[in-house]
Amino acid sequence: MDLKIESKEVEGVGVIVLEGEVDVYTAPKLKSRLIDIVDEGKFNIIIDLQKVEFMDSSGLGVLVGGLKRVKSHQGSILLVCTQENILKIFRITGLVKVFPIFSSEEEAIKSIQGS
Amino acid sequence: MAHFDQPTLITIPAKPEYVSVVRLVVAAFADLLDYDGDAVEDIKLAVSEACTNAILHLHKQAPPEKHLLTMSAYTKDEHMLIDIIYFVGEGADAEFASRQLHERDLGMSILLSMMDRVEIARANSDGIVIRLTKNIPAQHP
């Protein structure tokens, strides 16, 4: 399965919605979209993983790279994810301590607006 | 417990777009055994990491005509074994494959968490095998 990437702006925040699989084949596509969004000047980004069916370390690597990029502009990346199979890889790799993870886009947006 | 000691094999071009095909095959094979859904997902993830490592290794060290990889899945005693085999040419360097895997910290953490054993060795003089082992759960009466 391929990866569908939709980007939108919600209340001034860049939101990327992913659907499908993030692996060595599709991760470069995500990397490229993240770079575009940062280049547009959006440094607080929400990435919605609710429709991601599979993700491996190639996807995690892109998220970490994206985080480094936005942090250099005092920005942040927040994730939306409730699926246990995806949350598990964030726990195993310790990335739960690096990325704030929310159960809905609304919660993530509130967190950015409140900070 | 079901035994599938005759290997199920698939050979793919060592290109990123084919890794999802290997995941599908290994998931179907694991379904034949007594793994639950979570364990099947873990196996898919581990195989994806191993294939990614093989592809990266091939693209760094092997001439393009060698860019193939084979997955072989089978059972031995109470274990499922998955071999990811690829050929880099004379003087295949298992150390390089191992070092590369360890450098990919995230991938290595995932691989070690998902499988009971991960080994990397030379296969003949020109190949590398990444062997993943996972215990098969005991059947309930």
Side-chain angles (χ1 to χ4, degrees):
Chain A
M1 181 187 272
D2 203 356
L3 176 67
K4 286 186 196 161
I5 305 176
E6 183 194 320
S7 35
K8 57 187 181 182
E9 193 173 317
V10 180
E11 299 179 42
V13 177
V15 179
I16 298 177
V17 182
L18 304 180
E19 181 177 354
E21 300 188 330
V22 192
D23 67 359
V24 65
Y25 177 50
T26 58
K29 201 169 148 182
L30 173 59
K31 181 180 179 182
S32 164
R33 184 64 66 92
L34 260 174
I35 290 172
D36 287 348
I37 289 178
V38 174
D39 287 347
E40 287 166 13
K42 296 189 184 85
F43 306 128
N44 287 309
I45 301 170
I46 294 170
I47 303 181
D48 186 337
L49 304 174
Q50 292 289 60
K51 292 181 182 168
V52 170
E53 291 169 11
F54 178 87
M55 183 185 281
D56 67 12
S57 67
S58 306
L60 296 180
V62 169
L63 296 180
V64 171
L67 184 62
K68 281 182 190 163
R69 211 171 272 270
V70 295
K71 284 234 169 176
S72 65
H73 299 278
Q74 287 73 51
S76 59
I77 289 183
L78 287 71
L79 305 178
V80 177
C81 183
T82 54
Q83 305 101 289
E84 189 49 38
N85 63 321
I86 305 295
L87 288 171
K88 188 177 185 176
I89 60 168
F90 283 92
R91 279 199 291 269
I92 287 166
T93 53
L95 291 176
V96 280
K97 293 176 190 157
V98 175
F99 292 100
I101 302 178
F102 298 87
S103 52
S104 71
E105 267 181 37
E106 293 72 26
E107 278 182 32
I109 288 168
K110 270 184 201 162
S111 169
I112 288 178
Q113 289 173 336
S115 60
Chain B
M1 186 185 76
H3 287 278
F4 296 90
D5 47 4
Q6 192 174 0
T8 294
L9 296 162
I10 179 171
T11 297
I12 58 160
K15 294 179 179 174
E17 55 267 46
Y18 289 90
V19 173
S20 62
V21 179
V22 183
R23 286 200 297 268
L24 285 175
V25 173
V26 82
F29 183 80
D31 270 337
L32 296 172
L33 305 169
D34 296 314
Y35 295 109
D36 61 23
D38 286 347
V40 172
E41 287 301 314
D42 291 353
I43 292 163
K44 279 171 65 180
L45 191 49
V47 165
S48 198
E49 296 296 347
C51 288
T52 299
N53 208 66
I55 289 170
L56 295 175
H57 188 180
L58 280 165
H59 286 260
K60 278 181 190 164
Q61 288 211 320
E65 66 273 14
K66 296 274 187 188
H67 289 187
L68 289 172
L69 71 84
T70 297
M71 185 205 68
S72 169
Y74 53 100
T75 62
K76 188 176 179 188
D77 303 324
E78 292 83 35
H79 313 291
M80 175 172 75
L81 282 82
I82 304 162
D83 291 345
I84 305 296
I85 307 152
Y86 57 100
F87 295 93
V88 289
E90 279 304 314
D93 187 357
E95 279 294 312
F96 182 92
S98 178
R99 208 166 45 243
Q100 180 185 256
L101 191 53
H102 282 87
E103 281 167 6
R104 293 179 54 241
D105 284 345
L106 296 172
M108 193 62 184
S109 307
I110 291 173
L111 206 42
L112 292 174
S113 301
M114 300 296 161
M115 305 306 284
D116 293 307
R117 186 183 284 183
V118 177
E119 299 158 279
I120 300 178
R122 272 173 66 161
N124 303 320
S125 62
D126 60 350
I128 301 289
V129 57
I130 303 175
R131 175 164 294 161
L132 312 176
T133 304
K134 193 163 182 74
N135 298 337
I136 298 170
Q139 259 182 337
H140 297 293

